Amino acid sequence: MINPTIYSFCDYGYRRKAENWIHYLHEAGLTSFKIICHDEKTFSFLRDKYEPHLINNPDYYFPRIRRRLKQYWQHRKEIFYDLVEEGDCIFSDIDAIFQRDPLPLIEGYALNHDLLFSKVVHAAAHPRPIRKRRGFVICMGWWVIKSSPSSLRLLSQLKKHKIRDDQVSMNNILLGKKGTVTNQESFFSFQHQDLSIGVLPRAIVNRPKSKGQLKDACVEHPVNGKLRAYNLWAI
């Protein structure tokens, strides 16, 4: 049985997207979620309505993300480790919109898998060498991880990886070596050391590159983040 807390990350520039994200979570009946505030301004803006759902830890602050993206991805790796030490997690980008509760669909997969990833399949998905070879990449914008010593060993490896970008790092760790793992439309899985890794179908978590690629998934996570253009803006 998995009992995850849903986590997302937000700085002041994404404060309105945070409100939109929370609106959809409430509509889906989800209450076990937290937003890691990357600066005091974000916490101050959101606290009146949402304080029980906010993590305001100065150790997690990271102002001016867009100017220091490489350093930010490394910073996220450290936070992943801290939170998974505390329990099972779903990590979601703030523009990944929960249209329905995905937990009833993923609970069965989680019984026999340590991590569950959403995927990206469009040709420009990064890292491109993995996309070209496998037909997909695993997406760090929406993923599930059970808290265990094996999972923490993987996250320790992620923290130490030479590439700072967390998505590039995780794809290289899990899919960079020779193997037979290739994209499938339905759920599929593979082994990494003593971990069982599952890749979710796009009917559960979808990463559309255009409005025409929407699938009425439980979670829709548009590539360009322009939620209004996808009718995923409700505030």
Side-chain angles (χ1 to χ4, degrees), residues 113-195:
H113 295 85
D114 302 285
L115 293 94
L116 301 169
F117 286 98
S118 60
K119 63 183 177 182
V120 193
V121 299
H122 65 78
H126 79 287
R128 290 193 183 185
I130 301 287
R131 165 61 182 84
K132 185 175 181 180
R133 188 184 320 136
R134 309 289 189 185
F136 78 103
V137 299
I138 56 176
C139 179
M140 294 294 281
W142 205 99
W143 54 296
V144 184
I145 181 167
K146 291 158 73 172
S147 182
S148 70
S150 296
S151 294
L152 290 170
R153 281 194 294 273
L154 174 65
L155 293 182
S156 181
Q157 186 180 0
L158 181 71
K159 288 197 298 180
K160 297 173 184 176
H161 196 268
K162 62 183 179 181
I163 299 172
R164 289 178 173 177
D165 185 306
D166 53 17
Q167 181 158 309
V168 176
S169 295
M170 188 67 88
N171 273 275
N172 275 283
I173 290 169
L174 298 181
L175 295 169
K177 296 180 180 179
K178 290 182 179 180
T180 59
V181 181
T182 56
N183 184 45
Q184 300 174 37
E185 280 303 308
S186 59
F187 178 85
F188 61 98
S189 61
F190 60 95
Q191 290 294 127
H192 174 77
Q193 299 173 357
D194 59 345
L195 292 168

Side-chain angles (χ1 to χ4, degrees), residues 70-117:
K70 289 183 179 179
Q71 294 92 329
Y72 175 63
W73 301 136
Q74 184 64 40
H75 183 63
R76 286 213 322 177
K77 294 178 185 181
E78 304 286 340
I79 299 174
F80 292 151
Y81 189 97
D82 288 354
L83 297 177
V84 174
E85 273 194 310
E86 297 177 7
D88 302 336
C89 301
I90 294 175
F91 291 107
S92 168
D93 282 357
I94 208 77
D95 56 0
I97 301 303
F98 288 69
Q99 300 193 110
R100 292 180 301 283
D101 182 358
L103 291 176
L105 295 177
I106 67 175
E107 280 179 342
Y109 298 134
L111 288 174
N112 299 310
H113 295 85
D114 302 285
L115 293 94
L116 301 169
F117 286 98

